[in-house]
């Protein structure tokens, strides 16, 4: 499953540069599928969603750092453990029960975003 940032976040920003998928954004910032990935133009995601990778998307949170579930792979394919959770000083990066995925699905997402 993806990782989610809870409302205990203190907006320190430590997690953002650690994410290998550029799935973490500062509150109120727009996000894109293309940020930090190989995705560009119209693409069909592994979950079947049809998206424009270059289009700016609405922030998930206006106040706190947030994680884009479609881009988070729990760091699978890059690291042994979620890097955001490893650096967060208040332990507010936790599994997102609403976005459960198998290891295979997570690795598939990783390969889709970073095929090289
Ligand atoms: S678990 Fe890894 S991929 Fe997911 S948001 Fe945290 S650092 Fe990014
Ligand atoms: S490291 Fe933790 S407290 Fe800091 S911005 Fe990220 S989620 Fe928030």
């Amino acid at each position: 499953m993806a990782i989610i940032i809870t409302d205990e976040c203190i907006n320190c920003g430590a997690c953002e540069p650690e994410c290998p998928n550029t799935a973490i954004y500062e509150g109120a910032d727009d996000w894109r599928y293309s940020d930090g990935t190989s995705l560009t133009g119209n693409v069909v995601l592994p979950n079947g969603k049809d998206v424009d990778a270059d289009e700016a998307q609405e922030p998930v949170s206006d106040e706190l750092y947030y994680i884009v579930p479609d881009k988070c792979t729990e760091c699978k394919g890059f690291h042994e453990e979620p890097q955001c959770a490893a650096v967060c000083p208040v332990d507010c990066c936790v599994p997102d029960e609403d976005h459960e995925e198998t290891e295979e699905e997570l690795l598939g997402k990783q390969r889709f975003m970073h095929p090289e």
Side-chain angles (χ1 to χ4, degrees):
M1 65 193 83
I3 302 293
I4 192 170
I5 293 175
T6 72
D7 60 10
E8 280 163 45
C9 171
I10 56 169
N11 279 334
C12 73
C15 54
E16 186 187 357
E18 301 302 323
C19 180
N21 291 313
T22 314
I24 304 177
Y25 292 83
E26 188 172 355
D29 277 1
D30 290 341
W31 65 274
R32 290 170 187 75
Y33 286 97
S34 60
D35 294 336
T37 72
S38 299
L39 304 182
T40 178
N42 287 328
V43 292
V44 180
L45 303 181
N47 62 14
K49 240 190 259 176
D50 212 333
V51 303
D52 178 351
D54 300 307
E55 191 181 350
Q57 309 285 335
E58 293 282 308
V60 175
S61 169
D62 283 330
E63 286 152 26
L64 302 173
Y65 275 78
Y66 66 86
I67 292 171
V68 176
D70 278 350
K71 296 182 79 180
C72 175
T73 65
E74 281 180 43
C75 287
K76 298 277 186 215
F78 289 110
H79 303 288
E80 289 298 310
E81 56 172 1
Q83 298 299 288
C84 50
V87 300
C88 180
V90 293
D91 291 336
C92 70
C93 301
V94 299
D96 181 356
E97 308 288 341
D98 289 336
H99 290 98
E100 273 196 48
E101 293 156 292
T102 64
E103 169 141 3
E104 221 164 87
E105 285 172 325
L106 292 165
L107 285 170
K109 271 166 84 175
Q110 192 268 347
R111 279 194 298 272
F112 181 75
M113 291 189 284
H114 307 276
E116 69 286 348

